[in-house]
Structure formats: C-alpha cells, structure tokens
Amino acid sequence: SQKIEQNSEALNIQEGKTATLTCNYTNYSPAYLQWYRQDPGRGPVFLLLIRENEKEKRKERLKVTFDTTLKQSLFHITASQPADSATYLCALSNTGTASKLTFGTGTRLQVTL
Amino acid sequence: DAGVTQSPTHLIKTRGQQVTLRCSPKSGHDTVSWYQQALGQGPQFIFQYYEEEERQRGNFPDRFSGHQYPNYSSELNVNALLLGDSALYLCASSLRGTTYSNQPQHFGDGTRLSIL
C-alpha cells in the first residue's frame, strides 16, 4: 500500500540555521508533491508545489527538491526564525484536476533563539 | 476575501448519533474536499465534490456522506458515530484546473468532533 514517511520526532533548530525536513514515499508514483504548514488548532496552509519533472523549487526562504528515483523530497527553510515553528506536512497527488492529496504524518519543527 | 469557513468549530456527540458539518469554500473556488485528521496524524482524504457530485472517495465507509450545493458550499454527514470518529474534520477548496494541472488546496480551520 502507499506509504509516506516523515520524521515523527520533532526537529529542533537554532534560529538562523537551515532546517531540512524529509519526505519519503513508497508504492506511489506521484505527479505532484506539495508542502503544507500546520499550526496547532489550525488547518494546513499551502507553501509550495513541485511537479514530477521538476528537480527544485524555491520561494523566498523555502526550497523543495523532488527526486523521483530516490522517492524523496527535501524541504529546506533557510535562516530559520521562531515564527517558523510549526508542523510541516508533505502531500502527494496524481494527475487530474484538484486531485485528492495523500498526506504524511508531518514533522514538528521547533526553532529556538 | 474570505477564506474557507467551517462550522461549528467544536462539537460533542455520543456514540450512535449523527452529525452534519458545514463548509463554505473560498470565493471563486468550485471544488470541495473533506479530510479527517486524527491526533498526531496527517489528514486523510474522505471525498471530493465538484458540480454537486461526489467525484473521488477515499477509504471511508458509507456512514460518511456529503453534499454540495449550487453555491459550492458543502456538508459532511456522518451516521452511527463511533468513538474512532473523534477527529478534526477539515474542508479544503480549490479551483478545478485544466486536466493536467494541480491546484493547491485551501483549508479551513476544521471542526473538532469529540465522540463520548
């Protein structure tokens, strides 16, 4: 069955450092991979989308890579700030309009001063 | 510009009861999806509505049903509630793009459903 794995343990990072979060998947050939941020008691907020034929995508301090051979995506936040503390979810989907998302369990990021 | 709104924010029910959750999509969006998020887990896809019809469904029993109205708002109904139905129920809206595009989902803040 399809499986998406994210680090279940929280990631603790010092302010100013680069945070790197991992998303691995098996038994899946996604056309799209998305990253969302979720704060406690709130719904997920879209951050970045990358397509299967793209290797890398950037948006301000965020960077995502997508390696379909390794079946892995890396999500980087450079110059981390305490305000970046949240749970980050990766989500996969196939072709088709507004396709259903299959989410990982998320990784909690804590950025300390 | 209002985003996705869900009601109620919290709900407490007992086993065997029925519940209806409501969602208004972001302005301009025509597709609504529902997700269930258990504590400490990622959201799980329940189903998706477009043009008032269920278009895709996840691995959820028939106790879970939905509806979409002509104004694109949607309802999620759950019958014969079980303790395991306790979760955060999220509604997400998007604009149905072209065949090979994929649109980001805009989520509401969910309804926290507790079953006693």
Side-chain angles (χ1 to χ4, degrees), chain B residues 60-74:
Chain B
F60 279 80
D62 292 345
R63 298 187 297 109
F64 290 77
S65 63
H67 189 81
Q68 185 180 34
Y69 294 93
N71 67 352
Y72 308 119
S73 67
S74 177

Side-chain angles (χ1 to χ4, degrees), chain A residues 58-71:
Chain A
R58 290 175 185 261
K59 179 183 176 183
E60 297 172 353
R61 295 185 296 112
L62 309 180
K63 184 179 88 171
V64 61
T65 63
F66 192 10
D67 190 325
T68 55
T69 301
L70 290 179
K71 294 186 182 293

Side-chain angles (χ1 to χ4, degrees), chain B residues 1-5 23-30 32 72 92-94 106:
Chain B
D1 179 20
V4 177
T5 58
C23 171
S24 291
K26 179 179 167 67
S27 178
H29 285 182
D30 56 8
V32 173
Y72 308 119
S93 73
S94 58
H106 292 254

Side-chain angles (χ1 to χ4, degrees), chain A:
Chain A
S1 61
Q2 298 170 350
K3 197 172 181 182
I4 302 171
E5 291 183 335
Q6 296 185 253
N7 288 348
S8 57
E9 292 185 12
L11 179 63
N12 293 299
I13 289 288
Q14 196 173 20
E15 184 181 22
K17 302 290 187 184
T18 296
T20 298
L21 285 69
T22 305
C23 175
N24 295 297
Y25 58 92
T26 55
N27 298 323
Y28 206 134
S29 296
Y32 306 92
L33 190 146
Q34 302 181 32
W35 283 88
Y36 288 79
R37 169 187 171 137
Q38 187 172 26
D39 292 288
R42 306 297 300 274
V45 174
F46 170 76
L47 296 174
L48 280 169
L49 180 152
I50 188 166
R51 294 174 173 78
E52 61 179 335
N53 60 351
E54 297 176 316
K55 296 291 184 186
E56 184 179 297
K57 206 82 169 279
R58 290 175 185 261
K59 179 183 176 183
E60 297 172 353
R61 295 185 296 112
L62 309 180
K63 184 179 88 171
V64 61
T65 63
F66 192 10
D67 190 325
T68 55
T69 301
L70 290 179
K71 294 186 182 293
Q72 180 182 78
S73 174
L74 298 178
F75 179 77
H76 306 272
I77 305 175
T78 58
S80 297
Q81 305 166 0
D84 295 326
S85 299
T87 295
Y88 291 85
L89 298 157
C90 77
L92 280 61
S93 61
N94 288 315
T95 54
T97 56
S99 294
K100 71 176 188 178
L101 297 176
T102 302
F103 281 89
T105 54
T107 297
R108 188 163 61 86
L109 173 67
Q110 185 71 39
V111 182
T112 55
L113 295 171

Side-chain angles (χ1 to χ4, degrees), chain B residues 24-96:
Chain B
S24 291
K26 179 179 167 67
S27 178
H29 285 182
D30 56 8
T31 302
V32 173
S33 300
W34 286 92
Y35 291 81
Q36 179 195 67
Q37 186 174 25
L39 206 58
Q41 301 297 313
Q44 277 197 294
F45 178 81
I46 303 175
F47 43 53
Q48 182 183 91
Y49 276 83
Y50 171 70
E51 290 186 334
E52 302 179 49
E53 288 189 19
E54 183 182 296
R55 299 293 178 167
Q56 295 186 76
R57 190 177 181 92
N59 189 26
F60 279 80
D62 292 345
R63 298 187 297 109
F64 290 77
S65 63
H67 189 81
Q68 185 180 34
Y69 294 93
N71 67 352
Y72 308 119
S73 67
S74 177
E75 289 179 354
L76 164 65
N77 300 294
V78 187
N79 294 323
L81 287 166
L82 303 173
L83 291 177
D85 295 332
S86 294
L88 179 67
Y89 287 84
L90 295 162
C91 171
S93 73
S94 58
L95 182 62
R96 194 171 181 87

